Amino acid sequence: MYETFFNLRMKPFDLVPDPSFIYLSKSHKKALTFLDYGIRERAGFILLTGEVGSGKTTIIRNLLNKRYEQLVLAKVFNTRVTSEQLLAMINDDFGLQTQGKDKVTLIRDLNDFLVDQYARGNQPILIIDEAQNLAPELLEEVRMLSNLETSDSKLLQIILVGQPELRTILSTPELRQLRQRISINCHLQSLNRQETERYIMHRLEVAGNALAVEFPFESLDIIFRYSRGIPRLINIICDFLMLSAFAEEMKVIPVEMVREVIGDLDFDNHFWSSGAVTPPEGLSADAGAASHLLENNDMRALLNDIARRIDALEGTNGSPVQTVITEFQDRFTQLQNSVSSHMAKADSQIFSLIRKLDEIVPPHKDDSALEMSHEPTNVGFVRRVFGGDTFGRRK
């Protein structure tokens, strides 16, 4: 709709997972490298997790575009199924007949197919997306499929893709055997502030015009805080911003437009399960406070874990190895995203108060005393460390 106005070949912020738009952040690059290694080395189980909209499907599609030799692929996307339905979907995607066959026959057909593919030198891979929806007993049956093997090789490689809660499910005692068989383990982190800016510029460039529209620094700050670095949410915000800029015939995205779009989308309530800062009608303030207490406990747990690791390192004689340094970087990224989330919720509360005050006492154009100032009087320690004030401005 707005492509011609911005001199673009295509929409830069479409929600369809398109491998040509993939932006490899540090976390995404690491996951892609690990997955590629796992496939080439024929590792048994591979686990890929990440938040909704973090880019898991795009990573998988990019991976499969590498054109591995003699790869035979089956993909399962509907995971709210019974054991027999799951087997039928796997066999069907491998091109096997499933009509009128019971579970025993389905397993036998799959085994015969895998043996035949092994004899041909092919590499069958099963990708199960949204695996967090599988019941523990179904995950155990998936593990049993990995027992289909020859004397020297696994016949089937399995990639489990799911949301972070999949890791919680796999940590249960009854899935210990499955957990121990996972050879490659990847988790997609959300983008940090710098990566969010690069992600937006990258998508504009791939779409045909990196200079199509200008995102000022403050506007990017607010986009990052409300999206929390989740690529899909960045796309949603930026697509609406491009549409709004087109309607206003503007080539710069001002802060006011970002706030207006985020307000129209009701971002906290619609996209984040934690909801907005103000408790919904009918919910006590104590319940809202309990929600914040849980979030504060999450941040406190991260800080305590970092402190424990530092204490352990100080008790050793050697220097920390690179893996430990990388782990600290990941944990600080999680902490930064958590802090950004709290700051975004503070923004939401302030915006709501401003709107309500404007409704009660509309500002007079000649009365400057009634105009609301958007500049906070004090900037706390956390904001000085992580940069930016309540509304995304840098010092």
Side-chain angles (χ1 to χ4, degrees):
M1 182 176 182
Y2 52 69
E3 293 93 318
T4 302
F5 176 76
F6 290 112
N7 193 26
L8 296 166
R9 295 193 305 271
M10 63 188 82
K11 289 180 66 177
F13 301 105
D14 207 339
L15 295 182
V16 177
D18 186 346
S20 66
F21 276 98
I22 190 170
Y23 168 75
L24 294 179
S25 69
K26 179 182 177 181
S27 175
H28 288 70
K29 187 180 298 184
K30 177 181 176 182
L32 193 58
T33 301
F34 279 26
L35 290 169
D36 179 57
Y37 173 81
I39 289 177
R40 295 187 186 279
E41 295 299 317
R42 303 199 175 202
F45 270 96
I46 296 176
L47 176 65
L48 174 64
T49 57
E51 284 289 352
V52 177
S54 60
K56 300 184 296 294
T57 302
T58 305
I59 284 284
I60 292 296
R61 291 190 178 184
N62 179 272
L63 192 70
L64 298 179
N65 282 345
K66 291 182 177 295
R67 302 183 183 277
Y68 297 96
E69 294 182 3
Q70 298 180 295
L71 200 68
V72 181
L73 187 67
K75 302 180 294 294
V76 173
F77 297 102
N78 180 12
T79 50
R80 296 188 182 275
V81 292
T82 64
S83 173
E84 191 167 327
Q85 289 171 334
L86 179 63
L87 277 169
M89 286 190 296
I90 293 171
N91 284 19
D92 182 67
D93 220 52
F94 274 131
L96 305 176
Q97 292 295 325
T98 61
Q99 194 70 26
K101 296 186 177 182
D102 59 16
K103 182 176 179 179
V104 174
T105 306
L106 289 170
I107 293 176
R108 185 175 63 244
D109 288 351
L110 178 59
N111 185 69
D112 292 343
F113 169 79
L114 296 176
V115 170
D116 179 65
Q117 294 302 308
Y118 176 77
R120 296 169 181 263
N122 293 334
Q123 182 181 357
I125 293 182
L126 168 63
I127 298 176
I128 301 180
D129 203 357
E130 302 297 339
Q132 76 279 350
N133 294 329
L134 290 175
E137 55 270 20
L138 278 182
L139 284 168
E140 180 62 16
E141 291 205 23
V142 170
R143 180 190 70 82
M144 297 296 289
L145 291 179
S146 70
N147 288 337
L148 301 175
E149 58 187 6
T150 64
S151 58
D152 61 351
S153 178
K154 294 286 185 183
L155 295 178
L156 179 64
Q157 187 171 12
I158 301 173
I159 301 177
L160 296 176
V161 183
Q163 296 169 25
E165 49 264 38
L166 176 58
R167 292 177 175 271
T168 303
I169 296 171
L170 292 173
S171 67
T172 57
E174 58 267 31
L175 292 176
R176 182 177 66 256
Q177 292 188 67
L178 172 56
R179 188 168 63 249
Q180 291 175 352
R181 293 195 180 191
I182 295 174
S183 304
I184 303 293
N185 191 331
C186 308
H187 181 73
L188 292 180
Q189 302 284 354
S190 55
L191 306 181
N192 60 33
R193 167 60 179 78
Q194 187 179 40
E195 289 171 338
T196 297
E197 180 174 352
R198 291 175 179 172
Y199 174 84
I200 293 172
M201 297 302 106
H202 170 77
R203 292 193 70 100
L204 287 171
E205 183 178 4
V206 173
N209 185 6
L211 302 177
V213 64
E214 180 185 346
F215 287 84
F217 196 90
E218 294 84 355
S219 297
L220 288 167
D221 270 0
I222 298 176
I223 292 171
F224 168 65
R225 290 184 187 175
Y226 277 89
S227 68
R228 305 186 193 181
I230 301 295
R232 183 181 297 167
L233 299 187
I234 296 172
N235 286 1
I236 291 172
I237 295 174
C238 289
D239 188 49
F240 274 94
L241 287 174
M242 296 286 284
L243 185 60
S244 297
F246 166 68
E248 299 291 337
E249 297 186 354
M250 301 171 65
K251 294 294 182 74
V252 178
I253 306 294
V255 171
E256 294 74 16
M257 181 181 288
V258 181
R259 292 174 183 158
E260 181 181 352
V261 165
I262 288 174
D264 290 342
L265 291 172
D266 192 16
F267 223 77
D268 275 334
N269 287 319
H270 191 71
F271 293 103
W272 294 109
S273 58
S274 58
V277 173
T278 305
E281 184 177 352
L283 184 66
S284 69
D286 289 342
S291 173
H292 284 293
L293 180 60
L294 289 174
E295 292 169 357
N296 289 336
N297 285 340
D298 290 341
M299 292 178 61
R300 191 177 295 110
L302 277 172
L303 288 169
N304 288 339
D305 186 52
I306 291 172
R308 284 194 300 270
R309 295 302 302 272
I310 291 174
D311 289 341
L313 286 174
E314 288 178 346
T316 63
N317 294 325
S319 300
V321 295
Q322 184 61 40
T323 54
V324 176
I325 295 174
T326 301
E327 182 179 347
F328 272 119
Q329 290 172 341
D330 291 341
R331 290 182 184 276
F332 275 116
T333 298
Q334 292 176 40
L335 178 60
Q336 183 177 7
N337 290 340
S338 180
V339 170
S340 296
S341 171
H342 281 262
M343 293 166 71
K345 289 182 180 180
D347 288 352
S348 177
Q349 188 178 38
I350 292 171
F351 295 159
S352 177
L353 286 172
I354 290 172
R355 285 196 297 268
K356 289 178 181 178
L357 286 173
D358 285 343
E359 291 173 2
I360 297 171
V361 185
H364 193 277
K365 63 180 180 179
D366 296 324
D367 191 356
S368 60
L370 292 177
E371 293 182 2
M372 299 295 297
S373 171
H374 287 186
E375 191 69 24
T377 56
N378 294 301
V379 179
F381 170 75
V382 172
R383 297 184 192 279
R384 291 200 302 273
V385 171
F386 287 94
D389 63 22
T390 305
F391 293 95
R393 299 185 184 90
R394 297 282 173 177
K395 295 295 181 185

